Amino acid sequence: MARPVYAVFRGCLADTPAMGTLRIRARAALGVDRRSGRIVGVATESDAAPAQLVREWTGEPVGDGDVETTDLGADQLLMPGLVDTHTHAPQFAFLGLGHDLPLMEWLETYTFRHESQFQDADLARTIYADAVRRMVRGGCTMAAYYGTIHLEACCILAETIRDAGQRAYVGKVCMDQNAPDYYSETTDESLQATEAFVHAVLGGQSAADDGVLVRPIITPRFAPTCSARCLHGLGRLARDHQLPIQSHLCESPAEVAFAKECFPDCVSYSAIYHAAGLFGPRTIMAHCVHMSDDDMRLVRECGVGVSHCPNSNFSLSSGVADVRRFVDQGIPVGLGTDVSGGYAPSLLDAMRMAAAASRTLVAARRDSAQPAAGSPLDAAELLFLATQGGARVMGMQASIGTLDEGKLFDALVVDFAAPGSPVPPPSVTPAVLRHQQADELEQAWRLRIEQFVFLADDRNIARVYVGGRLIHAL
Ligand SMILES: [Zn+2]
């Protein structure tokens, strides 16, 4: 028998349509068209049968046999998939190692050596399969990945992600200067391999089509390792092929100084990327910890998105980024794990580290002469950064990030009662239990989502869907 074309989920839906807004629909039904992978409708407090709901949403003559219904348990909810706006797939090869050095020394001592080994396609296959599996298991439905400078290994990464069913941007790293001899490329090699990679990944599809699962992203490693000709060439490629762009910006004081030394004519670090045509609404800049006023202005005016990578910023002693300042200025912000500058390939960890970073700023500025840091990030804001905020940084806010009609169904079934769950049950959490017993389900779920943000792990991610397809289940 053919599989039903539509899927309907009944139970609690939780998402964050805006920064600080946690939307709970405790008794809802959500329909998915498996052919398009998109949400066809959401109903709240409706007693209508699933097929009836799908008929109302689509206007099609849908029968009971055309709909597969999933009733979520009392301890389960459906939420948008988590979005990782910055990670390095080859650096999973030294996950959790080498956090004893600051950024520039860390690159020379560990990173370049590890990444140079990815000229070996077999190594790439092994490491990338494991990396993508870990990401998916942690509920990451879309990520922006860096590969290495090697074309073949980058194509293997794109294939591995596609096979796993995850949504992604994948970048071939470009570095034609200030790199060791054993891990460098000429300007022409860098630009030609990038163009070949773009064609190989797209295979004739449009980069502007949000339904294309894996798409290329233009990836200068960071300004100091790219010549002006390389950066300008990459800017042209991004414009010609309508591609997103990712790189690093203002991560550590030594790196900012080095960037300015490499490009003495540019007034700020951001101005280097801007001059090369690499700054726009499809640009993702990781870190943005040590931003000058000119950096802030260019990022804001060009619509650049910021990937906040707190674990990495703590682990490499880089500093603490001021997320509240970006948000207040209308700059899009999402979260990045930045493996393996960050040691955890988990957006749950990224939310907790972002919480710690914002509290660190509040505490550090309380008694200093600097302006106050504003309020610390709360659970709803952290969840927004990990979902719709990240989607916006990826230029995908109309396609993923919340559970709304018309969006792609990238979602998680979270199970609070999973075996070994680190989230305590309501029976030992009186505040939750009281609301449940009073039938105040929305209030009970608000508390449980706060617990999810601060306590959950892979064991609570029961099912992962991307584009309507189940790609992971416990
Ligand atoms: Zn990075």
Side-chain angles (χ1 to χ4, degrees), residues 9 97 125-126 162 234 267 273 286 291 293 332 396 399 422 466:
F9 295 83
L97 299 174
R125 266 185 207 97
T126 305
R162 202 179 288 124
L234 292 174
V267 296
Y273 295 124
M291 300 279 279
D293 288 345
M396 291 284 284
S399 307
V466 171

Side-chain angles (χ1 to χ4, degrees), residues 86-88 91 103 106 146 221 247-248 251 286-287 309 312 337-341:
H86 183 82
T87 194
H88 298 259
Q91 296 179 21
L103 174 67
W106 174 83
Y146 287 58
R221 172 166 223 117
S247 198
H248 298 83
E251 181 173 355
H287 305 300
C309 306
S312 171
T337 57
D338 193 27
V339 164
S340 186

Side-chain angles (χ1 to χ4, degrees), residues 224-249:
T225 57
C226 296
S227 65
R229 188 161 84 80
C230 184
L231 291 175
H232 279 80
L234 292 174
R236 265 194 305 279
L237 276 176
R239 193 192 56 215
D240 291 351
H241 298 278
Q242 301 286 296
L243 295 170
I245 296 156
Q246 62 180 353
S247 198
H248 298 83
L249 179 66

Side-chain angles (χ1 to χ4, degrees), residues 145 263 269 307 326 364 406 413:
Y145 287 99
F263 295 86
Y269 196 160
S307 173
F326 298 130
V413 172

